[in-house]
Amino acid sequence: PIPKNFTIHGVWPDHTDYIMYDCNPNKEFKKIYDKHLLNKLESRWPQLTSHEYAGLNDQTFWKYEYEKHGLCCEKVYDQSQYFDIAMKLKDSIDLLNILTTNRIVPGFQYSYTGDQISSAIKRVTQKDPNPKCT
């Protein structure tokens, strides 16, 4: 089922001089077996392209994101810490609440500019968001 709130797509380390991805093609994602961690990940970072059972078993999307982006910060954060940071970030910002508090509500019957969405987020987070719509 489609979540009723925003979820995590990925966490990308950043560098001021260059884009960071595919930093260590010789290392791989380690499959996660901890049931408690899997349940936390599934609720915050669901693998929307597969059924829950398949996602929890195959972990394809988490593997992709970690190998593409997470390995770029492995000298600072190991795989477990990478996923923990992602969930802590998700839990620290209730994006749906921020938007609805600023009268920006989901649905096809409404439309908003990128500036309206960015301004609402910045009022709460004090950071310049970088929303992208498709």
Side-chain angles (χ1 to χ4, degrees), residues 92-112:
S92 72
I93 300 171
D94 185 346
L95 191 53
L96 185 59
N97 185 49
I98 289 170
L99 295 174
T100 55
T101 299
N102 285 275
R103 297 185 181 96
I104 297 173
V105 294
F108 292 109
Q109 67 271 34
Y110 306 105
S111 106
Y112 307 95

Side-chain angles (χ1 to χ4, degrees), residues 9-125:
H9 173 83
V11 177
W12 304 291
D14 202 1
H15 193 282
T16 56
D17 295 332
Y18 54 89
I19 297 172
M20 297 177 72
Y21 58 88
D22 294 330
C23 297
N24 195 341
N26 298 322
K27 290 222 172 172
E28 292 185 359
F29 169 85
K30 295 177 200 105
K31 189 170 183 178
I32 300 166
Y33 293 99
D34 179 310
K35 299 278 188 218
H36 180 67
L37 176 57
L38 287 170
N39 288 333
K40 285 173 38 177
L41 275 167
E42 184 60 28
S43 70
R44 292 167 180 87
W45 195 338
Q47 300 178 86
L48 300 174
T49 58
S50 60
H51 293 286
E52 183 176 341
Y53 175 79
L56 290 170
N57 187 48
D58 301 336
Q59 303 176 11
T60 307
F61 189 60
W62 299 327
K63 176 183 188 309
Y64 174 80
E65 288 298 314
Y66 183 71
E67 289 179 352
K68 181 142 184 121
H69 304 290
L71 284 170
C72 292
C73 61
E74 72 171 335
K75 291 179 182 166
V76 181
Y77 304 111
D78 65 21
Q79 179 177 309
S80 177
Q81 291 169 316
Y82 171 80
F83 287 108
D84 191 48
I85 287 168
M87 290 186 290
K88 284 180 180 173
L89 284 169
K90 165 68 175 106
D91 292 346
S92 72
I93 300 171
D94 185 346
L95 191 53
L96 185 59
N97 185 49
I98 289 170
L99 295 174
T100 55
T101 299
N102 285 275
R103 297 185 181 96
I104 297 173
V105 294
F108 292 109
Q109 67 271 34
Y110 306 105
S111 106
Y112 307 95
T113 67
D115 286 342
Q116 288 173 303
I117 293 168
S118 292
S119 294
I121 296 168
K122 186 173 182 174
R123 272 193 283 285
V124 174
T125 64

